[in-house]
Amino acid sequence: MAIDEAILWSCQEGQVPPTLRFYTWNHPTLSVGYSQKVSKEFDITTCQKLKYPIVRRITGGRAVLHDQEVTYSVVISQVDPLFSRSVLQAYRNLATGLLVGCRILGVNAQMATKPQGKPLQSHRSPVCFSSTSWYEILVEGKKLIGSAQKRFQNALLQQGSILMEFNPQRWRDILRVKSTTLLEQLVQYTTSLKDHIPEGISREKVISAMIRGFEQVHGITFQETDLTVLEWERAHYLYRTKYSQDTWNYRL
Amino acid sequence: MYPEDLKYTKEHEWVRVVGNKAIVGITEFAQDQLGDVVFIELPEVGEKVKQFESFGTIESVKAVSDLYAPVSGEVIKVNDALEDEPERVNKDPYGEGWMLEIEIKNPAELNNLISAKEYEAYIKDQAK
């Protein structure tokens, strides 16, 4: 999370180009959306027992358990053609890359369209994969990739999770309110690559397909690089002052 | 869709000027783009905001975005109802979905804002 924000910060200043990043986690980790109330929605004691660290994102959306998945992030600035001042257009631009990536993997994914006449939800589910919204990546109506954005005037960060496998039991363990409806919804609305590629697939292949998806759709060629010294410095600083702090992660 | 008695920013805030006060919210276009608003972070009464600088955060099911002050001045009222009912911004962006009342520090800053017609043209241009 600190690295994503360091890239965003550096891209906003024009120090680094637009960046597509893929990563995995050392330990299964629960990331929560910018405004989520962690202690109200999750059983923190169980998370600690299971050794699932909790980290807050700067992007919106709901909680993701980063376990059997690939996490991606995209940072683009206003000078990049993929950037749009329209939230939905920017989502769409990025979703098309992910969509083609899925198809390269042989998964017949679709982009979710704007739900018509959907009532406003006053009680939202705390879990990202239990509901779908515009331009998310679905297979047979179930969510495969969940994404969230943080927007600035001159740049945006989109973070998302591509599910390799899905285990609803893990959610049962860590949710504070173990609502059967919510768990049923999760099962009903979530899918993973394992459901569509029964022979299994490596993370490397998934990442390579997504990169090719973006390249094909947008006519671009990525250059694989490590972070710059500046990005590392900023990432360490952000980790030290923000992402390792309970004041940020738990909003204490 | 864009009331003519209001002034607008290119960041999709509207301002209703009443005497030396500015009532601020986000436009119909902004709420439609954001989708269901789920959380709004606003400053406290007494805080000072600066024109075109961030005064808060709005989160929808799609994105977290900053909110930008259309004028500089002191915050004299905040719509506390949005804490529990952020969906007011979707339902009634120019009415119950208002966010702040600012005491205008420098009325000349209002000249930096755009009219309803200019705002509408700006949005059409952005959509191209």
Side-chain angles (χ1 to χ4, degrees), chain A residues 75-91:
Chain A
V75 172
I76 43 180
S77 73
Q78 59 184 356
V79 295
D80 192 80
L82 294 188
F83 184 84
S84 171
R85 281 186 179 262
S86 152
V87 178
L88 296 183
Q89 187 57 45
Y91 254 99

Side-chain angles (χ1 to χ4, degrees), chain A residues 21 40 45 50 71 79 138 156 165 203 216 226 239:
Chain A
R21 174 181 177 232
K40 206 169 133 192
T45 319
L50 292 169
T71 310
V79 295
L138 316 179
L156 69 82
E165 282 186 46
R203 284 193 167 99
Q216 278 183 19
D226 192 3
Y239 175 74

Side-chain angles (χ1 to χ4, degrees), chain A residues 149-162:
Chain A
Q149 268 184 24
K150 165 74 189 184
R151 302 178 59 84
F152 296 88
Q153 284 166 305
N154 59 357
L156 69 82
L157 163 67
Q158 181 165 314
Q159 294 171 320
S161 170
I162 306 165

Side-chain angles (χ1 to χ4, degrees), chain B residues 69-105:
Chain B
V71 289
S72 306
E74 187 177 323
V75 177
I76 47 177
K77 262 191 204 167
V78 172
N79 187 357
D80 294 326
L82 298 182
E83 198 176 324
D84 292 327
E85 293 176 68
E87 62 272 21
R88 284 181 182 213
V89 171
N90 294 111
K91 287 180 186 156
D92 188 11
Y94 302 115
E96 285 196 343
W98 70 278
M99 294 175 178
L100 299 180
E101 205 173 295
I102 300 168
E103 193 168 55
I104 302 170
K105 192 178 162 192

Side-chain angles (χ1 to χ4, degrees), chain A residues 34-35 86 91 134 149 151, chain B residues 33 41 59 62 64 126:
Chain A
Y34 178 75
S35 64
S86 152
Y91 254 99
W134 321 329
Q149 268 184 24
R151 302 178 59 84
Chain B
Q33 283 280 315
E41 222 171 19
E59 178 175 347
K62 299 273 32 152
V64 175
Q126 292 285 305

Side-chain angles (χ1 to χ4, degrees), chain A residues 158-228:
Chain A
Q158 181 165 314
Q159 294 171 320
S161 170
I162 306 165
L163 285 190
M164 304 285 292
E165 282 186 46
F166 174 63
N167 182 352
Q169 181 57 42
R170 298 214 165 180
W171 284 106
R172 185 191 296 272
D173 295 339
I174 60 175
L175 281 167
R176 181 167 283 282
V177 180
K178 300 183 194 313
S179 138
T180 316
T181 324
L182 174 59
L183 289 162
E184 280 170 1
Q185 259 184 356
L186 250 178
V187 174
Q188 191 185 339
Y189 290 116
T190 311
T191 191
S192 71
L193 288 173
K194 199 183 174 188
D195 294 338
H196 306 282
I197 310 174
E199 66 275 21
I201 189 162
S202 67
R203 284 193 167 99
E204 289 68 29
K205 282 197 173 145
V206 174
I207 293 169
S208 144
M210 294 300 157
I211 293 172
R212 277 194 287 147
F214 274 91
E215 289 186 330
Q216 278 183 19
V217 169
H218 298 294
I220 47 179
T221 309
F222 286 104
Q223 279 184 319
E224 201 178 323
T225 59
D226 192 3
L227 297 175
T228 62

